[in-house]
Amino acid sequence: QVQLVESGGGLVQAGGSLRLSCAASGRTFSNYDMGWFRQAPGKERESVAAISWSGGSTYYADSVKGRFTISRDNAKNTVYLQMNSLKPEDTAVYYCAADALGYRLSRRWYNRDAYGSWGQGTQVTVSS
């Protein structure tokens, strides 16, 4: 179990950029794989990106590939989501998630049920 707190959300114009941060508690953070999900009003929560415990492997949803970048700084117990070329369709509450998936990550990174710890979310609004 790890506690997660997202920050960095806000209102931006289409085409703009935003960087989200997820601060984690606990000395075991470096052993956890991390994911970002988002949920728009009236829609299901969907996967956005994921990163392995070492940072060596990353995964992206087709809708954000080439625009978003996930990264982590284990010394700071923080995972980031850099969002560029934002579109109105990116408007949602963004959540970070964590669990020790290990070898399962490549097959499970997009699955909500794979993660045992979740943050409270941060709102991202993109205007046209």
Side-chain angles (χ1 to χ4, degrees), residues 46-98:
E46 64 178 1
S47 61
V48 176
I51 187 167
S52 62
W53 69 270
S54 67
S57 298
T58 57
Y59 307 87
Y60 297 94
D62 289 341
S63 60
V64 307
K65 195 170 297 182
R67 299 188 298 122
F68 291 11
T69 303
I70 188 171
S71 61
R72 67 191 297 161
D73 186 339
N74 289 344
K76 296 182 178 180
N77 288 347
T78 302
V79 63
Y80 305 95
L81 185 68
Q82 178 66 47
M83 305 185 294
N84 298 326
S85 301
L86 283 162
K87 305 174 181 179
E89 308 92 272
D90 296 318
T91 295
V93 176
Y94 283 71
Y95 301 88
C96 67

Side-chain angles (χ1 to χ4, degrees), residues 13-64:
Q13 190 176 22
S17 298
L18 206 60
R19 188 178 78 159
L20 305 183
S21 298
C22 176
S25 64
R27 295 177 296 172
T28 190
F29 173 76
S30 63
N31 295 324
Y32 279 75
D33 304 300
M34 303 290 296
W36 283 98
F37 290 74
R38 67 186 182 186
Q39 187 167 23
K43 295 187 176 181
E44 299 278 292
R45 191 171 299 186
E46 64 178 1
S47 61
V48 176
I51 187 167
S52 62
W53 69 270
S54 67
S57 298
T58 57
Y59 307 87
Y60 297 94
D62 289 341
S63 60
V64 307

Side-chain angles (χ1 to χ4, degrees), residues 3 6 12 26 32-33 46 63 83 92 99 105 108 111 118:
Q3 280 66 54
E6 302 95 337
V12 297
Y32 279 75
D33 304 300
E46 64 178 1
S63 60
M83 305 185 294
D99 217 326
L105 182 62
R108 298 266 289 168
N111 193 330
W118 292 82

